[in-house]
């Protein structure tokens, strides 16, 4: 271990200091807020502190440092101009009167119009601060719609078994009962299984199209007709909108409500707990229920009009591509995914052979190296070994439909050279697994840490430094 790979408290040496402060004046603090013991902080020099945090930053992996094929999450590269533009508005306080910032109002109107055109919705609200927040908002709109018509019995929402986990969670928070619909052998919603679930208690159905397996729900027109026929509404989870961008619109498929993850489809910062944005769009007959529109717009889900900086980044991305280039994003994302899938399907099990959209799912290795008492390499082992080669691992063990799921989404922003390099490494790992699975089971070998005990880390996290550490 190098000296600067050590943790802060390991570098601490008595008597060292990285700061010099003037003597604070004597202040009489109330006993309730005064410290009863000395503040125990590490003792470090300024070079120690600077080098420590600089080294930590270099250990961090992000889409700016390497290929990040995280399935279901669209880890798309963020153009740097997207970061510059919000800085121009950094001095605008959220409480400034609306009449004093007409330019910002124009931006909201512009992105509302752009998203409406791209999705087939009538209008959007930008209050929701994340995708799951958008789901909750959309479901609240659906409930309000039914209640306004005196239809109080509609308390059930249909969710496919391949859905993102936030779908049933959001429905439960909204007070709806989740009814699961099964997927067929082709990975798509089984329409025959859907029909018996429909009735006067159904508020609607939540769908992602293409679904979490990266497959387009080809029966969407029939599904929309069936759900609408029983009085329900269709909710579109926009997490997988990226491959459809400028090609197919949810509104044209029959969806009534949808949310968009701006950090996925529209290239705004992703991860780290926020800020996020999950704007919700609706068909014309639901506009009056949106917070900013109509006489039923009493619903508020945020104190402000969402995270303006994130919304501005998305608008910049849309304008930068322009109407003529937006469709290329979806087409290239689809091409990239199918290229990787077809290049690796002899090494990794491909449970669904059909053409995918932006992402696809393998089900572990074709040859995991298991033999005569020697355990084979698992999906987790493949993911850990990828780290040794400088790639972030794709999503693993999701969706739950496959035991050894490896979910890969390359996005449209990666070059052919990057995709080929990833394919080469995945093939090499498959060969290693067949010849020496122990090599994978003990990976990673050249990262700052190996395999931490994730159970202990979750249940007994060390969140502060003390001398006892």
């Amino acid at each position: 271990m190098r000296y600067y790979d050590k943790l802060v408290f390991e570098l601490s040496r008595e008597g060292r200091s990285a700061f010099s402060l003037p003597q604070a004046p004597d202040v009489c603090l109330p006993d309730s807020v005064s410290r009863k013991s000395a503040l125990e902080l590490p003792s470090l020099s300024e070079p120690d502190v600077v080098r420590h945090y600089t080294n930590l930053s270099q250990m961090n992996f992000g889409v700016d440092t390497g290929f990040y094929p995280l399935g279901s999450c669209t880890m798309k590269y963020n153009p740097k101009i997207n970061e510059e533009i919000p800085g121009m508005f950094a001095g605008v306080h959220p409480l400034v009167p609306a009449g004093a910032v007409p330019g910002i109002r124009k931006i909201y109107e512009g992105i509302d119009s752009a998203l409406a055109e791209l999705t087939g919705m009538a209008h959007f609200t930008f209050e929701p601060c994340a995708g799951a927040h958008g789901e909750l908002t959309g479901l609240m709109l659906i409930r309000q719609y039914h209640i306004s018509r005196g239809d109080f019995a509609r308390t059930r929402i249909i969710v496919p078994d391949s859905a993102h986990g936030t779908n049933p969670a959001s429905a439960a928070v909204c007070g709806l009962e989740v009814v699961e619909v099964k997927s067929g052998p082709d990975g798509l919603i089984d329409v025959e299984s859907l029909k018996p679930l429909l009735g006067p208690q159904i508020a609607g159905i939540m769908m992602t199209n293409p679904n979490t397996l990266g497959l387009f729900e080809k029966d969407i027109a029939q599904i929309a007709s069936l759900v609408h026929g029983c009085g329900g509404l269709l909710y579109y989870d926009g997490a997988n909108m990226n491959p459809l961008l400028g090609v197919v619109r949810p509104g044209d498929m029959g969806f009534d409500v949808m949310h968009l993850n701006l950090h996925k489809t529209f290239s705004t910062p992703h991860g780290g707990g926020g800020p996020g944005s999950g704007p919700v769009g609706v068909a014309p007959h639901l506009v009056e229920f949106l917070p900013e529109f109509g006489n039923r717009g009493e619903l508020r889900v945020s104190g402000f009009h969402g995270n303006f900086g994130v919304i501005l980044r998305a608008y910049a991305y849309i304008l930068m591509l322009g109407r003529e280039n937006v469709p290329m994003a979806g087409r290239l994302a689809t091409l990239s995914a199918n290229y990787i899938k077809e290049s690796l399907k002899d090494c990794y099990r491909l449970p669904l052979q059909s053409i995918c959209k932006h992402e696809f799912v393998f089900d572990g290795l074709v040859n995991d190296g298991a033999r005569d008492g020697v355990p084979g390499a698992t999906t987790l082992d493949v993911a850990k070994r990828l780290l040794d080669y400088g790639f972030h691992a794709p999503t693993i063990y999701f969706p739950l439909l496959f035991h050894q799921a490896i979910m890969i989404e390359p996005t449209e922003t990666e070059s052919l050279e990057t995709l080929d390099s990833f394919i080469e490494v995945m093939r090499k790992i498959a060969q290693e697994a067949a010849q020496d699975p122990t090599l994978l089971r003990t990976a990673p070998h050249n990262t700052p840490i190996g395999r931490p005990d994730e159970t202990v880390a979750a249940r007994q996290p060390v969140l502060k430094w003390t001398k006892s550490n």
Side-chain angles (χ1 to χ4, degrees), residues 123-417:
H123 280 292
F124 277 80
T125 174
F126 294 91
E127 286 192 12
C129 296
H133 196 195
E135 289 177 10
L136 178 61
T137 303
L139 291 169
M140 291 168 69
L141 291 171
I142 289 175
R143 289 210 68 181
Q144 190 63 29
Y145 166 77
H146 290 307
I147 290 171
S148 72
R149 301 168 72 244
D151 206 346
F152 300 101
R154 296 189 181 274
T155 58
R156 294 182 177 180
I157 194 83
I158 299 172
V159 179
D161 59 1
S162 63
H164 292 103
T166 52
N167 285 187
S170 297
V173 171
C174 195
L176 294 165
E177 179 185 348
V178 176
V179 179
E180 185 179 83
V181 61
K182 298 294 183 183
S183 299
D186 57 359
L188 306 176
I189 288 178
D190 185 346
V191 176
E192 294 306 312
S193 295
L194 172 65
K195 290 178 180 178
L197 304 179
L198 301 174
Q201 292 182 308
I202 295 300
I205 184 171
M206 298 184 79
M207 290 180 61
T208 308
N209 196 18
N211 64 24
T212 309
L213 298 172
L215 305 176
F216 190 84
E217 295 281 357
K218 60 181 177 58
D219 296 320
I220 183 58
Q222 184 181 4
I223 293 170
S225 177
L226 289 169
V227 175
H228 285 152
C230 83
L233 299 179
L234 272 75
Y235 182 91
Y236 183 86
D237 179 342
N240 291 352
M241 182 69 189
N242 202 51
L244 304 188
L245 197 60
V247 180
V248 181
R249 307 192 309 173
D252 298 334
M253 299 180 211
F255 286 95
D256 304 284
V257 185
M258 69 173 296
H259 86 270
L260 287 167
N261 299 73
L262 296 189
H263 56 280
K264 295 184 180 184
T265 306
F266 296 101
S267 194
T268 66
H270 193 160
S277 183
V280 171
V282 296
H285 59 285
L286 295 172
V287 169
E288 62 178 325
F289 298 96
L290 286 176
E292 294 91 341
F293 300 89
N295 57 14
R296 296 185 186 273
E298 65 274 7
L299 172 67
R300 294 301 302 272
V301 296
S302 175
F304 300 99
H305 292 293
N307 288 316
F308 176 66
V310 176
I311 294 162
L312 185 57
R313 287 173 172 90
Y315 193 34
Y317 177 75
I318 293 170
L319 294 178
M320 182 168 52
L321 289 180
R323 181 179 281 104
E324 67 277 14
N325 290 319
V326 163
M328 288 304 296
R331 289 167 181 156
L332 289 173
T334 299
L335 179 63
S336 296
N338 281 280
Y339 177 65
I340 293 177
K341 172 174 68 72
E342 294 299 313
S343 299
L344 292 175
K345 66 180 184 181
D346 61 322
C347 302
Y348 296 84
R349 295 190 187 95
L350 184 63
L352 300 169
Q353 299 290 328
S354 55
I355 293 175
C356 66
K357 295 302 176 188
H358 62 307
E359 63 188 357
F360 63 93
V361 181
F362 285 130
D363 190 12
L365 290 150
V366 169
N367 183 355
D368 62 10
R371 57 187 176 274
D372 296 334
V374 178
T378 65
T379 283
L380 177 64
D381 300 329
V382 172
K384 295 297 185 182
R385 183 61 173 151
L386 264 173
L387 304 180
D388 285 330
Y389 290 101
F391 290 113
H392 195 284
T395 299
I396 60 175
Y397 300 119
F398 179 81
L400 303 178
L401 297 176
F402 304 113
H403 183 59
Q404 291 291 328
I406 306 174
M407 193 178 190
I408 299 173
E409 180 178 0
T411 81
E412 74 282 1
T413 53
E414 300 297 340
S415 68
L416 177 61
E417 290 77 14

Side-chain angles (χ1 to χ4, degrees), residues 1-13 42 44 48 52 56 59 449 462 465 469:
M1 176 185 287
R2 298 173 302 170
Y3 177 67
Y4 288 106
D5 284 341
K6 295 181 179 179
L7 300 175
V8 168
F9 57 80
E10 293 178 297
L11 299 176
S12 179
R13 296 293 184 273
L44 303 168
D48 287 337
H52 172 72
L56 283 183
M59 293 178 190
I449 62 171
V462 179
W465 177 84
N469 291 132

